[in-house]
Each structure stands twice: as structure tokens, then as C-alpha cells.
Amino acid sequence: MASTTRTVKRLQHYLINTKLKTYSFDSILDLMKKEPRFNSMTYNRLFSHFGRNNLHVEQLWEIMKQHGKVPNVYVYTTLNKCYSGNKKSINELRKDMNDRKVQPNTQYFNSVLKHYVEVGDKQTYEKIMAEMKHLEIKPDAHTYSILINGYGNAGNLEELKILANQILQLNIKPVDSIMSSMIHLFGKAKLFDTVMDLRKQMEELDIKPQILTMNSLLNSYGKGGMLDKVVEIRKQMDQLNIKPDIYTFNSLITCFGKAEKFDEVARLRNEMAQMNITPNVRTFVSLVNCYGKSGMHDKVVEIRKQMNQLNIKPDINVFNSFIDNYGRAKKFKEVNELLCQMNQADIKPDVYTMNCLINCYGKNGMLDTVVEIRKQ
């Protein structure tokens, strides 16, 4: 008997720690049917692994109940994640949990909250927050991140402002990550006064911003064309001893490029080199757009050479930027070369690619080519 128990424990340990993808679902299902002594942790691991297939999850869940295993809060949390988007299953799990008198925790509520946020059921996820408060279960950073996405996606910016104040007053960690998301959403909505208020509140509460918050501020002000604010935030970064990263430089290059401040763009590129920060795909998209839209085609050619030298593989956005700018310069041979490179890299043209090509050939009277592209 002791030997059998040790064998089961070894199997449990193996199932929890091994890479389950090496085994078929049928072989694992057969094992679980035969052996009733596997614990909740083992089932939780299996639910997590097979979570994308609701049929597999249902089969394991039935076996668990048949063997009389009592699920804990972690099992219910994992099952909620498996059934996210399925309101009926989420409600059935909640009823089962209540019947078994299993106490919920923050992670459980987060899994339920995420479901209702994803389906846009504002009334229900506000009820869930009220229930958490009633049960004296404290929300964590993940709870607030879910709510931020919910209010942001629904465009409920007033509720988002209230939430931002709560987060700052409670000093929910990590503040930087949460504030970054908030600033991004308010910046996207062009509510720059609210962005400034958030930054001011952080200062008043002596909450030091980190790189994520500062990058979001740069991005928001940059997209709003507020060059003076961009310069101010960059100076604050130096004052706070916050080291810029690639995302900082990408935002700055995009911002100064749109303003046609080419000396500043060149200075930023030199600063990146001095700091040993390697440009990424996004950097080159910004540079191509910066120089190309201002008719500086020689610079676009230089950027393309640099990408090849650094062995940076272009994505669809890079190809689109180059096609757009070579098209503006009437460099049709290079446009065709880029299309061939896309084909070799197995990158399919998107709507923007097609629009660039139509503009490129159409403005130059090449109507037969436009008709051919339109058919594609």
C-alpha cells in the first residue's frame, strides 16, 4: 500500500512538473480515470495546460468530480480562465464554488472580473468590485489593470479618472506600470489636461515615476504635437536619473521628425550610439517616415543600408514605409524590389501596402498598374 502511494505521489509530481505536450490528451485522460488519488494541484496543472480546449477541460472536470475531489480556489480560478467568454460556464462554476463553501481570493475575483470586462458587462464587473469590498478582499495591481482596460475600451473616461485617483491615493504597486496604461489611454483620447493632472498628483504624493510612465508621457505629448512638453519630460528624466531606453528614443525621433527638427533627430541618433542602444524596427519606421515625408530621399536610402548592415529584418510596417517613400520619389524599380523582398520573406501586403502602391502608380499616370493592383 505504501509503495502504491509513493508511486501516485511520483506520478503527481511528474504531471505537475513535466512538459505535458509530450503526451496525448487521451493517454492522460485514461490515467486520470484509472487513478482516483491524484490531488487538486495535479488537476489544476492539467486544466491550465489543456485550457484552450473546453471539451478536454470538461472531461477532466467530470473525472475530478466523479473521484470526489474537492476543488480549491486555485482550481476555480484556472477554470474561469479556461472558460473566459462563456458566461454560462462562469456562472455555473460560481454556484458550484458557493455550494462547496470555497472562499474566494483576489486572484479568483480577477479571473471573473476579466471575463466580464472582456464581454463589456460594466454593470456586473462593478458588482464584483462591490462584492470584493463587502468580503474585505483587497484588489491588487492586476485587478486595477483589468478595470483600466475595461473602462478604457468602453470609453468611460470619467470612471477612469476616478480609478486613477484611487490608485494614486492607495499607492497600488507597481504604480509605474498602472500609470503608464492610464496616461496612454488619456493621451490617446487627447485629454492632455488629465495627463498633466496625473503627473502633478504623482509629484504631490511623492510618487517617483519610472521609465514606463515617462515613456507614456513622451508618447502622449508627442502624438499631440506638444513639443515643449516633450522637451520638458526629457529634461525631467535626466533630473530624476531615469535612463532612456529604445522606446524613449523612438518616441522622441517620431516627435521631432514630425516637427521636421532634423538636427535634433541626428543628435538623438548619436546619443543612442553613445549609449550603445541598438535601433529596432520601430526606430527605422520612424526615421523613414521622418525623412521620406520631407522629401529627403537620400536619407531614406541611407536608412535602408543601415538596416541591412545591422541585419535587422523588416516587418510589414517597415516595407510599407519604404514603399510609400520610394513611391513618392518615383523610384519604381526600388518599389518592385521591395515587393519581391516581401514575397521572399513571406510577408503578405496589407491594405496600407495596396494604398501606397495605388498612390505611387496612380499619381504618375500608370493606370494599368493601378487596375492590376486593384484586382489583387
Side-chain angles (χ1 to χ4, degrees), residues 1 5 8-9 12 31-44 46-47 59-73 75-76 79 93 96-97 99-102:
M1 182 70 179
T5 303
V8 170
K9 284 183 177 179
Q12 285 182 161
L31 176 63
M32 302 308 287
K33 283 178 180 177
K34 291 176 181 176
E35 180 49 66
R37 286 174 291 180
F38 287 119
N39 60 22
S40 292
M41 189 182 295
T42 309
Y43 280 98
N44 198 36
L46 295 172
F47 290 141
Q59 288 175 289
L60 289 166
W61 178 233
E62 286 303 315
I63 292 170
M64 186 177 182
K65 289 191 287 188
Q66 287 168 14
H67 287 324
K69 298 297 171 185
V70 179
N72 56 27
V73 68
V75 169
Y76 286 108
L79 287 170
L93 286 169
D96 189 84
M97 188 173 171
D99 291 345
R100 294 176 187 271
K101 294 183 170 52
V102 176

Side-chain angles (χ1 to χ4, degrees), residues 16 42 53 64 102 144 146 174 230 241 302 327 334 345-346 358 360:
I16 291 168
T42 309
N53 189 316
M64 186 177 182
V102 176
Y144 285 107
I146 293 168
V230 169
N241 199 27
E302 181 188 319
E334 284 83 351
D346 200 26
I358 289 169
C360 162

Side-chain angles (χ1 to χ4, degrees), residues 26-279:
D26 289 338
S27 62
I28 289 174
L29 188 69
D30 188 53
L31 176 63
M32 302 308 287
K33 283 178 180 177
K34 291 176 181 176
E35 180 49 66
R37 286 174 291 180
F38 287 119
N39 60 22
S40 292
M41 189 182 295
T42 309
Y43 280 98
N44 198 36
R45 170 77 170 90
L46 295 172
F47 290 141
S48 180
H49 178 73
F50 294 108
R52 291 186 179 181
N53 189 316
N54 284 0
L55 179 60
H56 290 171
V57 171
E58 286 168 11
Q59 288 175 289
L60 289 166
W61 178 233
E62 286 303 315
I63 292 170
M64 186 177 182
K65 289 191 287 188
Q66 287 168 14
H67 287 324
K69 298 297 171 185
V70 179
N72 56 27
V73 68
Y74 303 107
V75 169
Y76 286 108
T77 301
T78 302
L79 287 170
N80 280 337
K81 292 175 183 177
C82 296
Y83 289 121
S84 186
N86 187 331
K87 184 176 180 180
K88 182 182 176 184
S89 296
I90 297 283
N91 289 338
E92 286 174 354
L93 286 169
R94 186 63 199 275
K95 184 179 182 304
D96 189 84
M97 188 173 171
N98 289 338
D99 291 345
R100 294 176 187 271
K101 294 183 170 52
V102 176
Q103 292 300 310
N105 60 13
T106 304
Q107 288 71 35
Y108 168 78
F109 276 113
N110 285 349
S111 66
V112 179
L113 194 64
K114 189 171 185 291
H115 160 74
Y116 286 106
V117 164
E118 285 176 351
V119 298
D121 190 342
K122 180 174 176 283
Q123 186 177 7
T124 302
Y125 63 72
E126 287 185 343
K127 282 182 181 178
I128 291 166
M129 290 302 294
E131 186 179 358
M132 287 180 75
K133 186 176 181 180
H134 174 72
L135 294 172
E136 297 182 350
I137 295 174
K138 290 183 179 180
D140 61 10
H142 188 47
T143 315
Y144 285 107
S145 293
I146 293 168
L147 289 171
I148 289 167
N149 289 332
Y151 288 128
N153 293 337
N156 295 319
L157 299 177
E158 288 304 316
E159 287 91 342
L160 204 58
K161 289 179 187 178
I162 295 168
L163 193 64
N165 290 329
Q166 288 177 3
I167 291 165
L168 286 171
Q169 293 295 330
L170 294 170
N171 197 11
I172 302 294
K173 306 291 184 183
V175 172
D176 194 48
S177 175
I178 297 171
M179 281 301 106
S180 175
S181 298
M182 287 280 195
I183 290 164
H184 170 73
L185 288 168
F186 288 125
K188 191 176 179 181
K190 298 184 178 179
L191 296 174
F192 300 114
D193 287 343
T194 304
V195 171
M196 291 178 199
D197 287 343
L198 285 176
R199 180 70 186 97
K200 188 178 177 182
Q201 278 184 271
M202 289 179 75
E203 288 177 355
E204 289 171 352
L205 293 168
D206 199 27
I207 297 172
K208 183 183 175 182
Q210 302 297 324
I211 188 66
L212 286 174
T213 299
M214 301 310 268
N215 282 347
S216 287
L217 286 166
L218 286 172
N219 195 41
S220 295
Y221 290 134
K223 286 181 177 177
M226 303 171 72
L227 200 60
D228 56 334
K229 284 290 179 184
V230 169
V231 173
E232 182 186 323
I233 295 299
R234 183 64 187 91
K235 286 179 180 176
Q236 286 180 12
M237 288 179 72
D238 287 337
Q239 291 164 1
L240 294 167
N241 199 27
I242 298 173
K243 187 178 179 181
D245 61 12
I246 185 62
Y247 302 103
T248 312
F249 283 107
N250 286 350
S251 293
L252 290 169
I253 288 169
T254 300
C255 179
F256 285 109
K258 284 181 178 178
E260 298 188 350
K261 302 282 185 182
F262 302 116
D263 288 345
E264 190 61 27
V265 170
R267 189 195 66 76
L268 287 164
R269 292 178 69 187
N270 288 333
E271 189 179 351
M272 285 178 70
Q274 290 167 9
M275 296 178 69
N276 291 320
I277 295 176
T278 305

